[in-house]
Amino acid sequence: MKETIKKFGLPISIGLMLCVITIFGLVTSCLKTKMCTDPNYPLSCSSAKSCCPTDKPWNDEHGTCWVDLGSCRYTGNACEECWPE
């Protein structure tokens, strides 16, 4: 029994550690990805998953950027303010 544990225990534990390290690396690399890389559209709009220029910081959740909140609300859609990443 001890020989079986010695024979398979080390490879299994190394394999599990490699899996955990790989999953951790994938998750952390996905979290650091910048969505808005175009310098003309630096503002990130999380709910629409889009980017807006600095002179139009409001988004109507459909990807359209607006100058002010009043113009955005006129569409009848929910609006959010976009922020730099």
Side-chain angles (χ1 to χ4, degrees):
M1 181 69 178
K2 286 184 180 182
E3 291 179 25
T4 306
I5 293 173
K6 286 181 183 179
K7 189 175 183 180
F8 295 112
L10 184 61
I12 289 174
S13 63
I14 290 173
L16 287 173
M17 285 190 304
L18 288 174
C19 287
V20 168
I21 291 169
T22 302
I23 291 170
F24 179 77
L26 290 173
V27 168
T28 56
S29 68
C30 290
L31 293 176
K32 293 178 184 177
T33 303
K34 283 186 79 171
M35 185 175 76
C36 300
T37 56
D38 186 351
N40 296 323
Y41 294 88
L43 303 178
S44 175
C45 311
S46 59
S47 63
K49 294 186 174 119
S50 64
C51 304
C52 286
T54 53
D55 62 337
K56 295 181 179 179
W58 293 93
N59 191 289
D60 65 359
E61 294 185 337
H62 292 284
T64 306
C65 301
W66 299 91
V67 174
D68 58 17
L69 180 59
S71 300
C72 184
R73 284 190 176 171
Y74 188 73
T75 64
N77 299 321
C79 298
E80 75 165 324
E81 189 172 7
C82 305
W83 299 93
E85 288 184 296

